[in-house]
């Protein structure tokens, strides 16, 4: 029978603490629609309303957003800084199934 490792025999000393920290994880998210102020998307991981995310949007780079609402796997995010018309246009144009739309400058 294999023995279980003893967590008390660690190499380095451990210190009791309780504090907040940030963790970065890569998630695959399906964006359903996008506007200058936010987006609606689908994800299978249960993220809470208020969670801050950093999106790499196709054609327009990285943008920070906050989850504003959630309904099952569908959630809506509000961008911390709205997309400008060029960023919005590039994101929409980078979509493989985007319908033609007019985006005012």
């Amino acid at each position: 029978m294999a023995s279980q490792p003893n967590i008390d025999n660690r190499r380095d000393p451990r210190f009791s603490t309780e504090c907040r920290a940030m963790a970065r994880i890569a998630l695959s998210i399906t964006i359903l629609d996008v506007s200058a102020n936010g987006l609606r998307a689908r994800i299978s991981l249960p993220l809470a309303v208020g969670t801050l995310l950093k999106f790499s949007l196709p054609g327009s780079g990285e943008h920070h957003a906050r989850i504003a609402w959630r309904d099952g796997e569908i959630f809506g995010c509000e961008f911390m800084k709205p997309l400008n018309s060029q960023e919005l246009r590039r994101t929409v144009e980078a979509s493989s199934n985007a319908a033609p739309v007019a985006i005012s400058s």
Side-chain angles (χ1 to χ4, degrees), residues 25-91:
I25 57 174
L27 301 172
S28 178
I29 295 172
T30 302
I31 297 173
L32 303 172
D33 59 45
V34 64
S35 72
N37 292 306
L39 58 81
R40 183 173 60 101
R42 179 184 307 115
I43 188 171
S44 59
L45 185 68
L47 298 176
V49 169
T51 299
L52 298 175
L53 302 171
K54 180 167 66 173
F55 288 95
S56 292
L57 295 176
S60 71
E62 294 183 341
H63 300 276
H64 292 86
R66 179 188 60 79
I67 297 178
W69 59 269
R70 179 189 159 102
D71 184 11
E73 292 185 344
I74 307 297
F75 66 95
C77 284
E78 177 183 18
F79 293 126
M80 304 311 276
K81 177 184 170 200
L83 302 181
N84 64 42
S85 59
Q86 292 82 18
E87 291 169 327
L88 181 56
R89 177 177 281 112
R90 286 191 303 261
T91 298

Side-chain angles (χ1 to χ4, degrees), residues 17-25 51-52:
T17 185
E18 186 174 322
C19 60
R20 298 196 47 90
M22 301 277 297
R24 293 183 182 196
I25 57 174
T51 299
L52 298 175

